[in-house]
Amino acid sequence: MRALPRLARWPMLLAGVAGSWLVVLWRAGDVTTADGAAWLIRAVVALSAVTVVFAFDDPSVDMTRALAGGRGALMRIRFGIAGVAALMALAPAG
């Protein structure tokens, strides 16, 4: 568990969350129709989907494959990280 913070791609997760916030701040004033709002939400969802993929990128999979209980715990933590990243990325579009 001590090595877990080093196993995630934090810069990519933070860049994706910041990017989705920037897209909303950049285009929110231009949205005047429901169609425009739908496209803005689609753009933010697409960006957050790409961002969440980096939560599951595991550079240590070869070393931790032999750990029976460790892999399950790591995946649960990664799902938690992915959920938080998705919520943070989609928050401005909601």
Side-chain angles (χ1 to χ4, degrees):
M1 290 299 154
R2 291 181 308 169
L4 184 65
R6 292 186 303 250
L7 296 179
R9 304 281 187 203
W10 297 109
M12 294 304 294
L13 288 171
L14 294 175
V17 170
S20 66
W21 279 77
L22 289 174
V23 166
V24 171
L25 291 175
W26 174 50
R27 300 300 293 178
D30 297 340
V31 175
T32 57
T33 63
D35 191 38
W39 279 104
L40 180 63
I41 291 173
R42 287 177 187 160
V44 171
V45 167
L47 185 59
S48 65
V50 171
T51 299
V52 168
V53 171
F54 286 100
F56 295 109
D57 184 23
D58 189 1
S60 70
V61 71
D62 292 332
M63 293 184 294
T64 59
R65 187 174 291 147
L67 301 173
R71 292 299 305 160
L74 285 175
M75 285 310 291
R76 284 191 293 274
I77 292 170
R78 288 185 185 281
F79 272 104
I81 291 170
V84 169
L87 286 174
M88 291 302 296
L90 296 174

